[in-house]
């Protein structure tokens, strides 16, 4: 049974930082492209960041470029999202997603991030 479990969300003030984690089980993590998405209230889920299976290449949405960093530790089956200089518009439920060769994909259950003063 495949599980992706996110953690690290919370309530922070503008300008603060948070680090999200997503730990996978039931799959060969090192083969999966891992990504973060987010969904704000009343909006569609949107792409945030992605990293290749070995972690050598990452891409980001323009809205987070320069503030967020995606990384992974394949020995710990975990992908991270370091979020700095948080803004109220970053408020959303953050989801991790694992994709294997376009044929299999799995989502986590999400973790809430709220940025408010």
């Amino acid at each position: 049974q495949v599980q992706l479990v996110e953690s690290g969300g919370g309530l922070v003030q503008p300008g603060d930082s948070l680090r999200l984690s997503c730990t996978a089980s039931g799959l060969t993590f090192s083969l999966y492209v891992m990504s973060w998405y987010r969904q704000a209230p009343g909006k569609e889920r949107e792409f945030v960041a992605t990293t290749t299976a070995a972690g050598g290449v990452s891409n980001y949405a323009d809205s987070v470029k320069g503030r967020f960093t995606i990384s992974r530790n394949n020995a710990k089956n975990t992908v991270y999202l370091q979020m700095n200089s948080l803004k109220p518009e970053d408020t959303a439920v953050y989801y991790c997603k694992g994709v294997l060769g376009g044929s299999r994909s799995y989502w986590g259950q999400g973790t809430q991030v709220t940025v408010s003063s």
Side-chain angles (χ1 to χ4, degrees):
Q1 179 183 357
V2 175
Q3 280 192 311
L4 301 179
V5 180
E6 299 97 335
S7 61
L11 172 62
V12 296
Q13 294 186 340
D16 285 352
S17 298
L18 272 178
R19 188 176 82 155
L20 305 182
S21 300
C22 169
T23 300
S25 59
L27 51 73
T28 307
F29 182 78
S30 61
L31 298 180
Y32 280 71
V33 172
M34 297 300 298
S35 304
W36 287 94
Y37 287 74
R38 67 186 181 186
Q39 188 166 18
K43 295 187 177 181
E44 293 188 353
R45 193 171 297 188
E46 65 175 5
F47 166 77
V48 174
T50 190
T51 182
T52 52
V57 178
S58 300
N59 285 296
Y60 299 90
D62 287 344
S63 58
V64 307
K65 205 169 291 184
R67 299 188 298 121
F68 291 10
T69 302
I70 188 171
S71 63
R72 64 191 296 161
N73 184 329
N74 285 348
K76 294 185 176 181
N77 285 6
T78 301
V79 61
Y80 306 96
L81 186 67
Q82 177 67 44
M83 306 186 294
N84 299 329
S85 303
L86 282 161
K87 305 175 182 180
E89 51 263 43
D90 294 318
T91 295
V93 178
Y94 283 72
Y95 300 89
C96 67
K97 179 182 181 182
V99 176
L100 175 63
S103 62
R104 300 180 190 176
S105 65
Y106 302 99
W107 290 93
Q109 84 290 348
T111 185
Q112 176 71 46
V113 172
T114 302
V115 185
S116 176
S117 55

